[in-house]
Amino acid sequence: MTTQQAAAIQVQGLEKAYKELRVLRGVDFTVARGSIFALLGSNGAGKTTAVKILSTLLKADAGTARVNGFDVATQAADVRESISLTGQFAAVDEILSGRENLVLVARLRHLKSPGEIADGLLARFSLTDAGARKVSTYSGGMRRRLDIAMSLIGNPPVIFLDEPTTGLDPQARIEVWQAVKELADRGTTVLLTTQYLDEAEQLADRIAILHEGRIIVNGTLAELKQLLPPAKVEYVEKQPTLEDVFLTLVGTKA
Amino acid sequence: MSKHFFGDTAVLLGRSLRHITRSPDTIITTAIMPIAMMLMFVYVFGGAIRTGSDSYVNYMLPGILLITVASGIAYTAYRLFMDMKGGIFERFQSMPTARSSVLWAHVLTSLVANLISLVVVTLVALLMGFRSSAGVPAWLSVAGILILFTLALTWIAVIPGLSAKTMEGASAFSYPLIFLPFLSSAFVPTDTMPGPVRVFAENQPVTSIVNAIRALFTGQPVGTDIWIALAWCVGILIVAYGFAMTTYRRKIS
């Protein structure tokens, strides 16, 4: 296949409007295979819209997007074979047990021996003891771990995580970060959206800032930091944090 | 249609049926309101209502069965709304799963749950003295009409389930449907109603459906009522299905 060397995600000139509201106004970016790419932006910047288009839940008004070499508009079924989406809210079935949730997804992905797959993932995400319990009894962190475990079924090469740690306590956030890092170590491409700057700083190989429907900057953390004047020596030497970079570029005072 | 349509629908049907077995209250509450109405109509109002029928419970059971379905389908809207809100709907839609299976699984679940409720209500009616001379073909015809009626109303329920903003909004649509049997021949003969009300009552779908089921139960000839009833059910089914699919496509475009 010609997709082997191509980027995992290629987005060009993506536009989307809800009636009058132009959410995306020409978004371009590329995500290399096996990397973690963070789409950073405030609420309403269009991050979720971009993820929904890439995961074939929404149709773009203009522009093209390819995921794992497949066009999201014309080869949606192939895209869906290649991806997993972990939405903004843990998309788990509360009434089923953790294990039943995993078996359900394995069945819907038409995999053999869904039970074994479920048990393997329960072990990997330290949920074995809770596996038989209803998900409604889980903590926020456990729910998110199950959510991510469900996304890994079938080993999709590309995973979208839309604000994976929103609403989680610090401990649970660290658990999720750990899971995401392990994913990338195994060669999965991860696109995550976040409004937490430290999250992007912690996890991402590359960071793109989405503001008012456009990518206004895209680079590694080091590159982004260079966009500001070098640190001045005053009383103490202070490198600009990513937060400084973000707020300066976006042009708002916190 | 995707090659996995039937398999995926079966898997998702198993999921929502499990929901029902874990919260059987949805079936019980669906059955309780019609049973309460039945008790009230038979033991409170029934003595004063002249229907020309020998037993009032025989007379009003068809209407009660329709009310059972009308209140039962609210849970379909509710379950669909919860799936939309919780994000699991989007998860299913982003997977290599037959997309319309998600809707069909909810529709078939509604059918199973409503049939169970209908059996419960009919059993209570039997305890209250309901008797029918209907043979197997007539019972099967009644079951067929009720299945069509349930499917038609379920596809109506899919529309608010997909588009509602709040849980109350998702289930409020069923109140007018529950009320409709009162403006029909379900509880009293239409002859005593004043002009305009009578015209409405005699020409709305519930009357023909009730009359057809009543005729089947009592072994009377069904006449044209059954064809009008079937036409209404199929007509509502097609229109509701069309609107539901339009709503659905708008959701995923």
Side-chain angles (χ1 to χ4, degrees), chain B residues 73-93:
Chain B
I73 50 141
Y75 281 104
T76 304
Y78 168 76
R79 281 190 284 264
L80 197 49
F81 175 76
M82 292 309 279
D83 275 6
M84 299 285 297
K85 190 168 141 268
I88 204 155
F89 187 85
E90 290 194 335
R91 158 161 262 144
F92 292 150
Q93 298 292 305

Side-chain angles (χ1 to χ4, degrees), chain B residues 61-219:
Chain B
L61 182 63
I64 288 290
L65 293 179
L66 299 193
I67 288 183
T68 308
V69 175
S71 61
I73 50 141
Y75 281 104
T76 304
Y78 168 76
R79 281 190 284 264
L80 197 49
F81 175 76
M82 292 309 279
D83 275 6
M84 299 285 297
K85 190 168 141 268
I88 204 155
F89 187 85
E90 290 194 335
R91 158 161 262 144
F92 292 150
Q93 298 292 305
S94 71
M95 281 170 38
T97 300
R99 278 191 151 186
S100 54
S101 288
V102 180
L103 287 188
W104 275 104
H106 278 290
V107 169
L108 295 177
T109 304
S110 164
L111 197 56
V112 173
N114 277 299
L115 287 179
I116 297 173
S117 300
L118 286 169
V119 169
V120 171
V121 171
T122 308
L123 288 176
V124 173
L126 281 170
L127 290 179
M128 291 169 63
F130 168 73
R131 293 294 176 267
S132 166
S133 58
V136 173
W139 274 103
L140 287 178
S141 306
V142 169
I145 294 173
L146 289 174
I147 287 172
L148 261 185
F149 183 72
T150 307
L151 283 176
L153 292 201
T154 300
W155 278 107
I156 295 180
V158 167
I159 301 167
L162 286 171
S163 54
K165 300 271 185 289
T166 62
M167 203 163 77
E168 290 75 15
S171 44
F173 78 99
S174 68
Y175 300 137
L177 295 179
I178 294 173
F179 194 67
L180 221 44
F182 291 100
L183 288 171
S184 78
S185 63
F187 299 105
V188 291
T190 50
D191 337 346
T192 60
M193 298 177 187
V197 182
R198 181 174 171 182
V199 170
F200 176 81
E202 287 180 349
N203 293 291
Q204 64 124 323
V206 171
T207 295
S208 60
I209 300 170
V210 161
N211 290 350
I213 296 177
R214 192 178 283 148
L216 287 166
F217 275 154
T218 51

Side-chain angles (χ1 to χ4, degrees), chain A residues 52 56-59 80-81 85 90-93 95-96 100 104 107-110 147 150-151, chain B residues 4 8 11-12 15 18-19 22 86-88 90-97 99 251-253:
Chain A
K52 282 190 176 174
T56 76
L57 294 176
L58 274 180
K59 290 191 176 73
R80 291 199 280 270
E81 288 283 356
L85 168 68
V92 292
D93 189 317
I95 295 164
L96 301 185
E100 285 169 337
L104 174 68
R107 287 226 172 101
L108 289 175
R109 281 193 171 264
H110 318 116
D147 194 20
M150 283 162 78
S151 293
Chain B
H4 292 298
D8 291 346
V11 171
L12 289 167
R15 163 188 177 247
R18 209 167 269 182
H19 281 201
R22 292 203 185 152
I88 204 155
E90 290 194 335
R91 158 161 262 144
F92 292 150
Q93 298 292 305
S94 71
M95 281 170 38
T97 300
R99 278 191 151 186
K251 275 282 159 192
I252 59 170
S253 69

Side-chain angles (χ1 to χ4, degrees), chain A residues 140 163-169 172-173 196:
Chain A
E163 305 207 359
T165 61
T166 298
L168 291 189
D169 58 51
R173 280 183 85 192
Y196 299 122

Side-chain angles (χ1 to χ4, degrees), chain A residues 110-152:
Chain A
H110 318 116
L111 301 173
K112 292 199 174 66
S113 48
E116 275 172 45
I117 294 172
D119 291 331
L121 281 164
L122 286 172
R124 184 168 152 198
F125 284 86
S126 326
L127 290 167
T128 303
D129 292 340
R133 258 167 46 205
K134 263 194 192 183
V135 172
S136 52
T137 65
Y138 283 22
S139 72
M142 289 164 77
R143 224 171 266 225
R144 252 310 177 199
R145 272 177 2 236
L146 176 66
D147 194 20
I148 293 176
M150 283 162 78
S151 293
L152 302 190

Side-chain angles (χ1 to χ4, degrees), chain A residues 10-130:
Chain A
Q10 285 168 293
V11 178
Q12 253 171 8
L14 211 57
E15 288 180 33
K16 178 74 185 177
Y18 298 106
K19 296 203 176 91
E20 296 299 290
L21 186 66
R22 294 176 63 203
V23 183
L24 301 179
R25 310 174 176 209
V27 170
D28 307 276
F29 63 86
T30 304
V31 181
R33 277 183 192 277
S35 67
I36 302 183
F37 185 88
L39 206 51
L40 196 61
S42 354
N43 280 333
K47 306 184 298 281
T48 298
T49 303
V51 167
K52 282 190 176 174
I53 292 172
L54 291 175
S55 52
T56 76
L57 294 176
L58 274 180
K59 290 191 176 73
D61 298 335
T64 58
R66 300 183 81 81
V67 176
N68 199 30
F70 301 112
D71 188 290
V72 294
T74 59
Q75 298 168 293
D78 294 310
V79 171
R80 291 199 280 270
E81 288 283 356
S82 314
I83 62 160
S84 253
L85 168 68
T86 302
Q88 223 172 85
F89 309 99
V92 292
D93 189 317
E94 302 262 323
I95 295 164
L96 301 185
S97 72
R99 188 172 186 276
E100 285 169 337
N101 267 285
L102 293 164
V103 169
L104 174 68
V105 172
R107 287 226 172 101
L108 289 175
R109 281 193 171 264
H110 318 116
L111 301 173
K112 292 199 174 66
S113 48
E116 275 172 45
I117 294 172
D119 291 331
L121 281 164
L122 286 172
R124 184 168 152 198
F125 284 86
S126 326
L127 290 167
T128 303
D129 292 340

